Amino acid sequence: MADKKPWAEVQFERSLFRARWLMAPFYLGLVLALIMLLVVFVRELIYYVPQAFVMGEGHMKSDGAILAILSLVDLSLAGNLLLIVIYSGYENFVSKLDLDENHVDRPPWMGTVDFSGLKMKLIASIVAISAIYLLKSFMNIGKPGVPLDEAGLMWAVVIHLTFVASGVLLAVMDWVAAKTDKH
């Protein structure tokens, strides 16, 4: 017959398990951050849409339109990243979302993204956001009135390459760990 755990140990372990709910306010805060991001997106959209109809001097030209669109895409990617962190983090660390599994609007990845998958989605989003920032910086090269900041551009490339290398290394580590687990 196995020894029964002491009452204090059982209560301590239950308290530790319940402590996962301390993470719930963090996810609620990220929902508020998503709302803040939506406000910024709408403000940018309201600013850029009227400029698209006036293509004269001092107004939006085609490269300005591309930069505006890239800014909106950048905000959208940040929003997607927040959603992935909110859903996956909550389901992995707090509690399963009690939703209809066959609901037409339920994303297929929900409930299937583990911590490793969350890391990969996070780094992929960061790399995409960094790439958009870098593209916007490259598009400003040679524009009148926009000074060329060679050091800033060099650091943006270095940081972007660091993100890319980090993503590749994380993927390799996950691949090695998956191969090791099978033995």
Side-chain angles (χ1 to χ4, degrees):
M1 184 169 146
D3 289 330
K4 192 173 180 184
K5 284 187 177 182
W7 178 85
E9 184 178 351
V10 170
Q11 294 309 311
F12 178 73
E13 289 174 358
R14 286 182 180 165
S15 295
L16 282 179
F17 185 67
R18 288 183 191 118
R20 74 191 189 283
W21 283 99
L22 293 173
M23 287 301 298
F26 287 87
Y27 297 114
L28 183 59
L30 289 178
V31 170
L32 295 176
L34 187 60
I35 292 168
M36 290 172 25
L37 199 58
L38 174 63
V39 169
V40 171
F41 182 89
V42 169
R43 287 181 65 204
E44 292 271 323
L45 195 61
I46 289 170
Y47 175 78
Y48 286 123
V49 166
Q51 291 184 28
F53 295 104
V54 187
M55 298 293 276
E57 191 65 37
H59 292 286
M60 185 176 293
K61 297 188 184 225
S62 61
D63 59 340
I66 292 169
L67 288 173
I69 290 166
L70 287 174
S71 293
L72 295 174
V73 169
D74 198 17
L75 290 169
S76 173
L77 286 172
N80 291 340
L81 176 61
L82 274 172
L83 276 179
I84 290 169
V85 170
I86 291 167
Y87 291 152
S88 298
Y90 184 84
E91 283 203 328
N92 282 313
F93 301 111
V94 179
S95 181
K96 294 292 179 199
L97 290 170
D98 201 15
L99 304 171
D100 180 14
E101 295 291 325
N102 298 322
H103 192 280
V104 68
D105 289 335
R106 183 183 172 98
W109 56 265
M110 262 182 85
T112 61
V113 177
D114 59 359
F115 187 66
S116 177
L118 180 59
K119 274 190 317 194
M120 294 313 298
K121 288 184 182 307
L122 180 66
I123 194 71
S125 295
I126 290 171
V127 167
I129 290 167
S130 172
I132 288 173
Y133 175 81
L134 202 53
L135 182 58
K136 286 175 10 183
S137 298
F138 286 150
M139 289 185 71
N140 282 327
I141 294 175
K143 274 191 175 178
V146 180
L148 179 61
D149 179 10
E150 291 179 25
L153 200 55
M154 181 207 59
W155 280 111
V157 170
V158 167
I159 291 168
H160 177 71
L161 291 175
T162 301
F163 289 147
V164 170
S166 297
V168 169
L169 289 173
L170 281 171
V172 168
M173 287 187 297
D174 284 347
W175 179 76
V176 168
K179 292 290 183 189
T180 305
D181 289 344
K182 291 180 181 178
H183 292 296

